[in-house]
Amino acid sequence: MNEFLQSLQPKLAEIFSHLHEHAEISWQEQQTTQYIASLLREANMEPQMFDDMTGLYVDIGKGTPKVGFRTDIDALWQEVDGVFKANHSCGHDGHMTMAIGTALLLKDMEPALSGAVRILFQPAEEKAEGARALVDKGVIDDLNYLFGVHVRPLKELQDGTYTPALYHGAAKLFTGTIIGEEAHGARPELGINAIEVGAAIVEGLQKIWTDPNVSASAKMTQFNAGGTSANIIPGKATFSIDARAQTNEVMHVLTAGIERVKASVEAMYNAKIELQVDAHIVAALVNDEAMEHMRAAIIDVVGDVACVPPVVTPGGEDFHFYTYEKPHLKATMLGLGCGVSPGLHHPKMTFNKERLITGVAIITRAILRTL
């Protein structure tokens, strides 16, 4: 494995550069899908694409795949040097590179595999919709194990260290509309001020009680009201709420609290508040057996010293929806310590790309151990 793996390094560097330079946002990853499919076909694999969405998967080995590996393929839309563009500031270009490297490595050793492996290239992770779409397609129904990977910031993992599990938190993104009543600034008693209603929502969010032993927060992150005239009391506003919790149970409590705040503020101001959930990311459900396979793989490849304990992180990850929907699935994510700086989602995010080849080795070893 090592000799072929080392021979892959120049090709993987080229693949990473292409993916980084041709980033595409969620549900628009057409070129990315076609590029990955062409690479797999060149290696005598048979990628399977979907008629109605981006993304693809490929099976390696004989029989029905029972072990899988998933990567995300979309980028963020953000301002970089004054220009808005699709930008891989969450490391998905690196994740795809590792998935492709793993597929090429497994294909090279295919005659010796004791079972089949499915590599999933999932769209729309950043919108927290891609995992649900693949579940609906039935492509994980036969899997017993599923692995993933995510590059980690220096705050969580030092460069050159690796963890067998990432305990992401749950997240919900709400959007809302406040419908009050406009009035002249001199006659506030005739109106229902949407800004004051919004302020009451902010105050209410701060009073939601959850278990103090579990990290959780709910805060308003966007608010838009009023026009260009300062003497009009605005009757309408739009807003967003970002809710986070380290466990799914506390997220349920937090959600119920947000609904109570909505109802009480509506009653207090006689306003109408429309509220909906735009995205729901579930907290990690890590399987001990899968984590042990990953831990052993890390030690096999880089030794005990570079293998560090699981990381608890407040960030969210669409990967965990697979185990949320399919409780039988044994899953974990490799945390790749590669010096991510200044941090994930920063427009100028960079990391040590030399760690990608190590990631391929660890992921492949974990898959082989599981088979």
Side-chain angles (χ1 to χ4, degrees), residues 11 43 87 95 105 123 134 142 205 208 254 266 280 304 333 366:
K11 184 175 182 66
N87 187 41
H95 303 166
L105 193 53
L134 289 192
D142 293 324
L205 294 177
I208 297 174
L254 200 57
E266 279 183 320
H280 179 201
D304 286 286
M333 291 193 87

Side-chain angles (χ1 to χ4, degrees), residues 9 43 53 65 135 143 177 214 216 220 229 244 256 287 321 323 365:
Q9 195 152 7
M53 62 181 242
V135 168
L143 297 181
T177 301
V214 180
M220 193 174 288
S229 299
R244 307 273 170 168
N287 175 265
F321 186 80
T323 44
R365 183 75 70 182

Side-chain angles (χ1 to χ4, degrees), residues 189-243:
E189 74 280 3
L190 300 180
I192 300 174
N193 192 330
I195 294 177
E196 292 178 358
V197 175
I201 294 173
V202 171
E203 185 177 0
L205 294 177
Q206 296 169 347
K207 294 179 179 179
I208 297 174
W209 186 91
T210 59
D211 185 345
N213 298 303
V214 180
S215 174
S217 68
K219 57 278 181 190
M220 193 174 288
T221 53
Q222 290 179 327
F223 191 86
N224 296 286
T228 58
S229 299
N231 62 347
I232 298 176
I233 290 173
K236 190 173 183 179
T238 59
F239 63 92
S240 298
I241 294 172
D242 178 287

Side-chain angles (χ1 to χ4, degrees), residues 104-116:
L104 295 174
L105 193 53
L106 289 170
K107 183 63 178 177
D108 181 68
M109 58 179 69
E110 186 172 28
L113 294 180
S114 57

Side-chain angles (χ1 to χ4, degrees), residues 21-47:
E21 293 299 324
H22 297 82
E24 296 175 296
I25 60 174
S26 300
W27 296 127
Q28 296 183 28
E29 313 96 331
Q30 289 91 351
Q31 292 184 26
T32 302
T33 299
Q34 293 296 334
Y35 175 72
I36 295 169
S38 67
L39 288 173
L40 299 175
R41 291 191 190 102
E42 287 174 9
N44 297 316
M45 288 181 263
E46 298 179 4

Side-chain angles (χ1 to χ4, degrees), residues 45-304:
M45 288 181 263
E46 298 179 4
Q48 304 296 313
M49 294 187 285
F50 306 105
D51 294 333
D52 57 348
M53 62 181 242
T54 50
L56 67 154
Y57 67 93
V58 66
D59 294 342
I60 304 162
K62 294 181 179 180
T64 301
K66 297 298 181 183
V67 180
F69 175 79
R70 167 271 197 186
T71 182
D72 30 25
I73 68 173
D74 57 332
L76 290 157
W77 183 257
Q78 64 185 158
E79 187 175 357
V80 184
D81 294 329
V83 178
F84 277 92
K85 58 185 286 190
N87 187 41
H88 274 304
S89 59
C90 199
H92 297 187
D93 44 3
H95 303 166
M96 285 186 279
T97 302
M98 286 184 278
I100 294 166
T102 299
L104 295 174
L105 193 53
L106 289 170
K107 183 63 178 177
D108 181 68
M109 58 179 69
E110 186 172 28
L113 294 180
S114 57
V117 180
R118 176 163 291 175
I119 310 292
L120 303 159
F121 296 87
Q122 178 206 302
E125 189 279 330
E126 296 295 354
K127 284 188 175 291
E129 296 171 352
R132 183 187 300 272
L134 289 192
V135 168
D136 290 343
K137 293 290 185 184
V139 297
I140 67 162
D141 287 354
D142 293 324
L143 297 181
N144 293 331
Y145 294 85
L146 184 65
F147 297 108
V149 65
H150 208 300
V151 298
R152 303 317 299 163
L154 280 167
K155 184 176 181 180
E156 292 183 355
L157 283 181
Q158 290 300 306
D159 188 15
T161 63
Y162 309 86
T163 181
L166 295 172
Y167 283 87
H168 289 96
K172 274 190 180 179
L173 305 179
F174 298 80
T175 55
T177 301
I178 298 167
I179 302 172
E181 187 73 35
E182 286 198 358
H184 194 289
R187 300 178 181 87
E189 74 280 3
L190 300 180
I192 300 174
N193 192 330
I195 294 177
E196 292 178 358
V197 175
I201 294 173
V202 171
E203 185 177 0
L205 294 177
Q206 296 169 347
K207 294 179 179 179
I208 297 174
W209 186 91
T210 59
D211 185 345
N213 298 303
V214 180
S215 174
S217 68
K219 57 278 181 190
M220 193 174 288
T221 53
Q222 290 179 327
F223 191 86
N224 296 286
T228 58
S229 299
N231 62 347
I232 298 176
I233 290 173
K236 190 173 183 179
T238 59
F239 63 92
S240 298
I241 294 172
D242 178 287
R244 307 273 170 168
Q246 201 58 56
T247 67
N248 293 312
E249 292 75 18
V250 171
M251 177 54 76
H252 295 324
V253 175
L254 200 57
T255 300
I258 292 170
E259 292 290 349
R260 286 196 302 273
V261 169
K262 169 188 174 293
S264 62
V265 173
E266 279 183 320
M268 185 185 307
Y269 285 89
N270 194 29
K272 178 175 177 57
I273 302 172
E274 299 173 350
L275 189 65
Q276 65 183 32
V277 177
D278 282 356
H280 179 201
I281 302 171
V282 299
L285 299 166
V286 177
N287 175 265
D288 289 342
E289 187 179 341
M291 180 170 61
E292 189 51 42
H293 283 308
M294 186 63 74
R295 187 197 314 276
I298 293 170
I299 294 171
D300 286 347
V301 175
V302 295
D304 286 286

